[in-house]
Amino acid sequence: MRVSMKVDGVTYEDEVEPRTLLTHHLRDGLGRVGTPIGCDTSNCGSCTVSIDGESVKSCSVLAVQAAGADITTIQGLAEGSEWHPVQKAFQQHHGLQCGYCTPGMIMASVDLLTRNPSPTEDEVRHGLEGNLCRCTGYQNIVKAVLSAASELRGEGPIAGSFRDADEPVPATSGASS
Amino acid sequence: MTEQLDAGLVAQEIAEHPDALSKPYAGGELGRGRRRKEDAKLVTGQTNWTDNITLPGLLHMTVLRSPMAHARILSVDVSAALEMPGVIAAYSGADLADVMGASMPCAWPVTPDMVSPVHTPLATDEVRYVGDGVAVVIARDRYAAADALEAIAVEYDQLPAVVDMEEALKPGAPLVHSEKGTNQCFVFDFPGAGADYAETVKNAGDDAVVVRRRFRQQRLIPTPMEPRGVVVAPIAAADEFTMWSTTQIPHILRIMLALTTGIPEHKLRVVAPDVGGGFGAKLNVYAEEILCLVVARKLGRPIKWTESRSENYQATTHGRDQIQDIEIACTKDGTLLGLKVELLADMGAYLQLITPGVPVLGAFMFPAIYKMPSYHFTCTGVFTTKTPTDAYRGAGRPEATYAIERIMDELAAELGRDPMELRRQNWIKHEEFPYEMVAGLTYDSGNYEAATDKAEQMFDMAGLKAERDRRRASKDPVQIGIGISTFTEMCGLAPSRVLGSLSYGAGGWESASVRMLPTGKVEVVSGATPHGQGHHTSWSQIVADSLGVPFEDVELVAGDTRSSHKGMDTYGSRSLVVGGVAIHKATGKVIEKAKRIAAHLLEANEDDVEFGGGTFSVKGSPEAKLTIQEVALATFAAHNLPDGMEPTLDSDYVSDPENFSYPHGTHLCAVEIDTETGFTKILKYVCVDDIGKIINPVIVEGQIHGGLAQGIAQALYEEAVYDAEGNLTTGSLVDYLVPAAPDLPHFDTGRTETPATSNPLGVKGVGEAGTIASTPAVMNAVVDAVRQYGVNDIDMPATPERVWRAINGEGSARATAGTVAYGGTSTGSTGGAAADEALDDNRSAL
Ligand code: FES
Ligand code: FES
């Protein structure tokens, strides 16, 4: 089938098999490999992208179902070289280690903050329950999202989880939070 | 200083491009919470995962896997698959028998008489676990390759599954490898370095208190978020190959591939591109790596294989899976007499790279931080028809730490003592280091008192105990339990001599090279391959600090056997303590060479030249100075070097540690248990870890958090379950409960700093500490909450069903009686309605 869709600002028109998953079309068909695949049961969230402004697991959608859609992946989130506040916050709060869950986690967080600009810690945890991370234990991801929320509300980023930014930490610091 | 440099290129460069040289070093790099260099590509989706790699003419491989746990293969017919559109080739195990190598390697024969069965990349005679490879298809795209698997016809003659370790050891039990005549892989017996255990207890006579328990380490599935994948590009005419693999160990993999396939080592290049987590599951030599290589060699075309998550759960190694019979003895006043450990360890169907070594590593950790005169350890390895086990975060040490920390609580309960007081009475005091343990290791440093005091203060131990006791007295339906884990571990694998004495097939050194580029920038080459640990950032800090160059001017080269040709790779919390120390020492050699050249250029006596903050200066003449970048440029030009001096500052160092490093700490956990549903909620988690000197506190804290998550997951959520026929019933993320954000608590972390004395940076490993420490802290809290109902153990994971059954007198609860107590472990399969509901709650997060 002939399918046209806009991905990260570029319109592509391609012949795709009806059974092709959107995630495979993005990766293998269009070479948008910034969105990785972590499972085959739509449980991990690694493949999350934004379709017409809503976050969707791209492995749970067929490419043909996304015909005519406007899709943003992690590769199209930054404005040129200016990262989205959520991207910045993930680095600042060390919300990633191996980074495999990160594209999906960031896309899901952006969507969460669109729907709820002032989430509590608990709301962030529940809002991201469809995205698994095996490296971070989630605490720094939650901090990153709360900080990005504050930034997006125009209140500036929240204080870092680590004493401060790049400052050396005293030899025997207490609790870090 | 330019007038003191040689004329020509050097002076001209500096005059024309003052910015070509680096900014001065600002200092304070060690201990600084630098944000990570690696994040830029990761947060923008510019990462190079193995599955992203594509090449002209790339073909896709899929693997047909056994649906049965144990069966004889009668026939494999691939002819129909070959007729399918897009299919280029299809091979059975027999078709590849002469090229795929005789057996995949196990590098750790833990006893001289260990039974080591042949393990071919595809099964040829029998399949021995669900997921064992039977045939492969090579096709033009991944869908065609997947479709064609269904066209392969395999005839099986089913054989009995071997699922239970104890049954497997009984005479007449069905055999996993019938030609071996036994399911017993090895018996490793280690009487410790102290007195005889039985004798010691006997001599104590009536004064001895003995407690026994049976603990189960359930089987776990490591689940790095990136499944495995392999791409092989051949240069057919030259019989040369490049392999990209999602591996933690490109260097070890290359050697093993050469030995297995006969392709000469120097004709193989192995690259670990960006790797999405490993946790031990990518510390191996896998069938698909060999298969992609030999098929690429056969077809002369590039081949790619990408694992699905369901395949990952069957075909990538699992972790833990031990039955632990533990006996501890003390005198009536609580002074420990000794410890006896008897393990059954499930190998699964075959021995992977270090399968037998994992439980044996635990032998040295069971006595943990406690002084005791006697110790005895035995471990029996057992074959079953399940996925092979191997390293999973902690590998041998979480099992040991769990057992000792759980049984210390049981002993305290038996004695009617406070569990922390009993620990204090028996642990090594800070002034007693270095301390020679009954298990033969010498702990170089530690301060258990300081870490514990700090943790108790952060935890509000007194307040929580009061609340717990109040709820107990008022019979509140929601009870509180408090759990302790005062752990240590051995990491930084490892002194090569020690590995040799344990019959491991290689050493434990690590290599580093520091290259000074002409413009003063630095490339540091490390044999420790990163897969999420932040090496680019931490190594840059180490280099910046010792060379006195800006952090931004350092770049890491790693993970490719062509550019980082020598290494022992990343596992066992070794990167910093072994690899980081190698880097530090290599920078020392750079400075030594640069100093000779600086002295020559400054026309000073070498002994009068000092180095600090990136600058060489001459004692007594403050204006005679050269930065290390200026020396690098002068060395590159080589116009004016001391006679006979090699024109390079580049230096290598291979560091072999003199001892393990011994991180320790105190973890405290408070849980709330709803006695009506059995649901456990972590109320508070406090940990104070002592990992010595810190290079980057941000990265350290991330490592602790991630470790805690995996340890807590073992205590409360995860279990790989096989049914009686040997089917993995938790074969996907739907059934295997990897915790999501709502399933984990907020962690309060703190630290104390007792530098390691066994390395010049004073550092200890941190990658596994959280996982090792947290499981017993949580389980001690769970048991503490329900001990009042006569429960003294609950199998992991402590699901609502298990907890509910224990409270209601079914399953795993047995009362402690007399001075000898026995723990129980059986659990039923159905719970009350309330328990089911809570279980659903628990799963809804996924
Ligand atoms: S790959 Fe889409 S949810 Fe896992
Ligand atoms: S950072 Fe590795 S899975 Fe989340």
Side-chain angles (χ1 to χ4, degrees), chain B residues 189-209:
Chain B
D189 184 69
F190 177 60
D196 181 71
Y197 171 79
E199 199 72 2
T200 307
V201 177
K202 201 170 111 210
N203 291 344
D206 281 354
D207 198 25
V209 179

PDB file of all heavy atoms in Angstrom, chain B residues 189-209:
ATOM      1  N   ASP B 189      34.015 -27.880  47.015  1.00  0.00           N
ATOM      2  CA  ASP B 189      34.065 -27.929  48.471  1.00  0.00           C
ATOM      3  C   ASP B 189      35.165 -26.989  48.958  1.00  0.00           C
ATOM      4  O   ASP B 189      36.296 -27.052  48.497  1.00  0.00           O
ATOM      5  CB  ASP B 189      34.367 -29.360  48.923  1.00  0.00           C
ATOM      6  CG  ASP B 189      34.321 -29.479  50.445  1.00  0.00           C
ATOM      7  OD1 ASP B 189      33.217 -29.360  51.001  1.00  0.00           O
ATOM      8  OD2 ASP B 189      35.391 -29.655  51.057  1.00  0.00           O
ATOM      9  N   PHE B 190      34.818 -26.124  49.888  1.00  0.00           N
ATOM     10  CA  PHE B 190      35.771 -25.109  50.357  1.00  0.00           C
ATOM     11  C   PHE B 190      35.660 -25.009  51.873  1.00  0.00           C
ATOM     12  O   PHE B 190      34.679 -24.493  52.403  1.00  0.00           O
ATOM     13  CB  PHE B 190      35.431 -23.771  49.692  1.00  0.00           C
ATOM     14  CG  PHE B 190      36.289 -22.626  50.139  1.00  0.00           C
ATOM     15  CD1 PHE B 190      37.675 -22.641  49.974  1.00  0.00           C
ATOM     16  CD2 PHE B 190      35.712 -21.499  50.721  1.00  0.00           C
ATOM     17  CE1 PHE B 190      38.459 -21.575  50.379  1.00  0.00           C
ATOM     18  CE2 PHE B 190      36.487 -20.413  51.124  1.00  0.00           C
ATOM     19  CZ  PHE B 190      37.867 -20.456  50.962  1.00  0.00           C
ATOM     20  N   PRO B 191      36.667 -25.537  52.590  1.00  0.00           N
ATOM     21  CA  PRO B 191      36.569 -25.556  54.048  1.00  0.00           C
ATOM     22  C   PRO B 191      36.986 -24.246  54.707  1.00  0.00           C
ATOM     23  O   PRO B 191      37.099 -24.187  55.934  1.00  0.00           O
ATOM     24  CB  PRO B 191      37.515 -26.694  54.433  1.00  0.00           C
ATOM     25  CG  PRO B 191      38.505 -26.753  53.324  1.00  0.00           C
ATOM     26  CD  PRO B 191      37.855 -26.220  52.089  1.00  0.00           C
ATOM     27  N   GLY B 192      37.197 -23.185  53.926  1.00  0.00           N
ATOM     28  CA  GLY B 192      37.571 -21.905  54.508  1.00  0.00           C
ATOM     29  C   GLY B 192      39.013 -21.902  54.988  1.00  0.00           C
ATOM     30  O   GLY B 192      39.750 -22.873  54.801  1.00  0.00           O
ATOM     31  N   ALA B 193      39.406 -20.783  55.588  1.00  0.00           N
ATOM     32  CA  ALA B 193      40.784 -20.638  56.030  1.00  0.00           C
ATOM     33  C   ALA B 193      40.869 -20.744  57.548  1.00  0.00           C
ATOM     34  O   ALA B 193      41.923 -20.522  58.136  1.00  0.00           O
ATOM     35  CB  ALA B 193      41.342 -19.298  55.554  1.00  0.00           C
ATOM     36  N   GLY B 194      39.747 -21.077  58.189  1.00  0.00           N
ATOM     37  CA  GLY B 194      39.740 -21.106  59.654  1.00  0.00           C
ATOM     38  C   GLY B 194      39.628 -22.520  60.196  1.00  0.00           C
ATOM     39  O   GLY B 194      40.063 -23.489  59.581  1.00  0.00           O
ATOM     40  N   ALA B 195      38.993 -22.618  61.367  1.00  0.00           N
ATOM     41  CA  ALA B 195      38.855 -23.910  62.037  1.00  0.00           C
ATOM     42  C   ALA B 195      37.751 -24.727  61.368  1.00  0.00           C
ATOM     43  O   ALA B 195      36.978 -24.219  60.563  1.00  0.00           O
ATOM     44  CB  ALA B 195      38.508 -23.671  63.506  1.00  0.00           C
ATOM     45  N   ASP B 196      37.694 -26.003  61.746  1.00  0.00           N
ATOM     46  CA  ASP B 196      36.654 -26.885  61.230  1.00  0.00           C
ATOM     47  C   ASP B 196      35.304 -26.492  61.855  1.00  0.00           C
ATOM     48  O   ASP B 196      35.182 -26.359  63.076  1.00  0.00           O
ATOM     49  CB  ASP B 196      37.010 -28.328  61.576  1.00  0.00           C
ATOM     50  CG  ASP B 196      35.968 -29.289  61.033  1.00  0.00           C
ATOM     51  OD1 ASP B 196      35.938 -29.456  59.808  1.00  0.00           O
ATOM     52  OD2 ASP B 196      35.166 -29.821  61.836  1.00  0.00           O
ATOM     53  N   TYR B 197      34.287 -26.351  61.008  1.00  0.00           N
ATOM     54  CA  TYR B 197      32.999 -25.857  61.498  1.00  0.00           C
ATOM     55  C   TYR B 197      32.367 -26.831  62.511  1.00  0.00           C
ATOM     56  O   TYR B 197      32.016 -26.438  63.629  1.00  0.00           O
ATOM     57  CB  TYR B 197      32.037 -25.614  60.325  1.00  0.00           C
ATOM     58  CG  TYR B 197      30.629 -25.315  60.780  1.00  0.00           C
ATOM     59  CD1 TYR B 197      30.283 -24.038  61.237  1.00  0.00           C
ATOM     60  CD2 TYR B 197      29.645 -26.306  60.801  1.00  0.00           C
ATOM     61  CE1 TYR B 197      29.004 -23.762  61.682  1.00  0.00           C
ATOM     62  CE2 TYR B 197      28.362 -26.034  61.250  1.00  0.00           C
ATOM     63  CZ  TYR B 197      28.051 -24.766  61.694  1.00  0.00           C
ATOM     64  OH  TYR B 197      26.792 -24.495  62.152  1.00  0.00           O
ATOM     65  N   ALA B 198      32.240 -28.090  62.115  1.00  0.00           N
ATOM     66  CA  ALA B 198      31.543 -29.060  62.969  1.00  0.00           C
ATOM     67  C   ALA B 198      32.253 -29.187  64.322  1.00  0.00           C
ATOM     68  O   ALA B 198      31.613 -29.211  65.382  1.00  0.00           O
ATOM     69  CB  ALA B 198      31.479 -30.414  62.272  1.00  0.00           C
ATOM     70  N   GLU B 199      33.556 -29.242  64.246  1.00  0.00           N
ATOM     71  CA  GLU B 199      34.387 -29.358  65.452  1.00  0.00           C
ATOM     72  C   GLU B 199      34.166 -28.149  66.377  1.00  0.00           C
ATOM     73  O   GLU B 199      33.999 -28.284  67.587  1.00  0.00           O
ATOM     74  CB  GLU B 199      35.849 -29.394  64.974  1.00  0.00           C
ATOM     75  CG  GLU B 199      36.835 -29.937  65.955  1.00  0.00           C
ATOM     76  CD  GLU B 199      36.704 -31.457  66.146  1.00  0.00           C
ATOM     77  OE1 GLU B 199      35.863 -32.107  65.477  1.00  0.00           O
ATOM     78  OE2 GLU B 199      37.430 -31.952  66.983  1.00  0.00           O
ATOM     79  N   THR B 200      34.136 -26.970  65.766  1.00  0.00           N
ATOM     80  CA  THR B 200      33.993 -25.737  66.541  1.00  0.00           C
ATOM     81  C   THR B 200      32.655 -25.718  67.282  1.00  0.00           C
ATOM     82  O   THR B 200      32.586 -25.357  68.462  1.00  0.00           O
ATOM     83  CB  THR B 200      34.099 -24.504  65.615  1.00  0.00           C
ATOM     84  OG1 THR B 200      35.303 -24.614  64.865  1.00  0.00           O
ATOM     85  CG2 THR B 200      34.097 -23.202  66.390  1.00  0.00           C
ATOM     86  N   VAL B 201      31.597 -26.108  66.583  1.00  0.00           N
ATOM     87  CA  VAL B 201      30.265 -26.105  67.204  1.00  0.00           C
ATOM     88  C   VAL B 201      30.219 -27.161  68.302  1.00  0.00           C
ATOM     89  O   VAL B 201      29.693 -26.928  69.400  1.00  0.00           O
ATOM     90  CB  VAL B 201      29.164 -26.345  66.147  1.00  0.00           C
ATOM     91  CG1 VAL B 201      27.789 -26.417  66.799  1.00  0.00           C
ATOM     92  CG2 VAL B 201      29.194 -25.240  65.098  1.00  0.00           C
ATOM     93  N   LYS B 202      30.811 -28.329  68.015  1.00  0.00           N
ATOM     94  CA  LYS B 202      30.799 -29.417  68.995  1.00  0.00           C
ATOM     95  C   LYS B 202      31.524 -28.971  70.276  1.00  0.00           C
ATOM     96  O   LYS B 202      31.034 -29.185  71.390  1.00  0.00           O
ATOM     97  CB  LYS B 202      31.473 -30.654  68.391  1.00  0.00           C
ATOM     98  CG  LYS B 202      31.078 -31.939  69.102  1.00  0.00           C
ATOM     99  CD  LYS B 202      31.553 -33.161  68.352  1.00  0.00           C
ATOM    100  CE  LYS B 202      32.646 -33.816  69.176  1.00  0.00           C
ATOM    101  NZ  LYS B 202      33.630 -34.522  68.366  1.00  0.00           N
ATOM    102  N   ASN B 203      32.675 -28.343  70.086  1.00  0.00           N
ATOM    103  CA  ASN B 203      33.471 -27.910  71.246  1.00  0.00           C
ATOM    104  C   ASN B 203      32.727 -26.906  72.116  1.00  0.00           C
ATOM    105  O   ASN B 203      32.987 -26.808  73.314  1.00  0.00           O
ATOM    106  CB  ASN B 203      34.798 -27.294  70.791  1.00  0.00           C
ATOM    107  CG  ASN B 203      35.708 -28.360  70.203  1.00  0.00           C
ATOM    108  OD1 ASN B 203      35.487 -29.567  70.407  1.00  0.00           O
ATOM    109  ND2 ASN B 203      36.722 -27.927  69.464  1.00  0.00           N
ATOM    110  N   ALA B 204      31.817 -26.153  71.512  1.00  0.00           N
ATOM    111  CA  ALA B 204      31.073 -25.158  72.294  1.00  0.00           C
ATOM    112  C   ALA B 204      30.024 -25.832  73.186  1.00  0.00           C
ATOM    113  O   ALA B 204      29.498 -25.216  74.117  1.00  0.00           O
ATOM    114  CB  ALA B 204      30.425 -24.140  71.369  1.00  0.00           C
ATOM    115  N   GLY B 205      29.711 -27.079  72.885  1.00  0.00           N
ATOM    116  CA  GLY B 205      28.797 -27.856  73.729  1.00  0.00           C
ATOM    117  C   GLY B 205      27.470 -27.178  73.936  1.00  0.00           C
ATOM    118  O   GLY B 205      26.851 -26.684  72.984  1.00  0.00           O
ATOM    119  N   ASP B 206      27.026 -27.111  75.177  1.00  0.00           N
ATOM    120  CA  ASP B 206      25.717 -26.549  75.509  1.00  0.00           C
ATOM    121  C   ASP B 206      25.622 -25.054  75.242  1.00  0.00           C
ATOM    122  O   ASP B 206      24.533 -24.488  75.211  1.00  0.00           O
ATOM    123  CB  ASP B 206      25.433 -26.753  77.011  1.00  0.00           C
ATOM    124  CG  ASP B 206      24.984 -28.178  77.257  1.00  0.00           C
ATOM    125  OD1 ASP B 206      24.793 -28.908  76.251  1.00  0.00           O
ATOM    126  OD2 ASP B 206      24.853 -28.554  78.440  1.00  0.00           O
ATOM    127  N   ASP B 207      26.768 -24.456  75.091  1.00  0.00           N
ATOM    128  CA  ASP B 207      26.769 -23.005  74.872  1.00  0.00           C
ATOM    129  C   ASP B 207      26.406 -22.643  73.419  1.00  0.00           C
ATOM    130  O   ASP B 207      26.201 -21.486  73.102  1.00  0.00           O
ATOM    131  CB  ASP B 207      28.158 -22.444  75.224  1.00  0.00           C
ATOM    132  CG  ASP B 207      28.109 -20.939  75.437  1.00  0.00           C
ATOM    133  OD1 ASP B 207      27.006 -20.421  75.779  1.00  0.00           O
ATOM    134  OD2 ASP B 207      29.137 -20.275  75.233  1.00  0.00           O
ATOM    135  N   ALA B 208      26.323 -23.647  72.542  1.00  0.00           N
ATOM    136  CA  ALA B 208      26.092 -23.352  71.114  1.00  0.00           C
ATOM    137  C   ALA B 208      24.616 -23.162  70.798  1.00  0.00           C
ATOM    138  O   ALA B 208      23.773 -23.916  71.264  1.00  0.00           O
ATOM    139  CB  ALA B 208      26.653 -24.479  70.258  1.00  0.00           C
ATOM    140  N   VAL B 209      24.343 -22.125  70.044  1.00  0.00           N
ATOM    141  CA  VAL B 209      22.994 -21.918  69.501  1.00  0.00           C
ATOM    142  C   VAL B 209      23.126 -22.056  67.987  1.00  0.00           C
ATOM    143  O   VAL B 209      23.979 -21.407  67.372  1.00  0.00           O
ATOM    144  CB  VAL B 209      22.474 -20.503  69.845  1.00  0.00           C
ATOM    145  CG1 VAL B 209      21.086 -20.289  69.252  1.00  0.00           C
ATOM    146  CG2 VAL B 209      22.486 -20.290  71.348  1.00  0.00           C
TER     147      VAL B 209
END
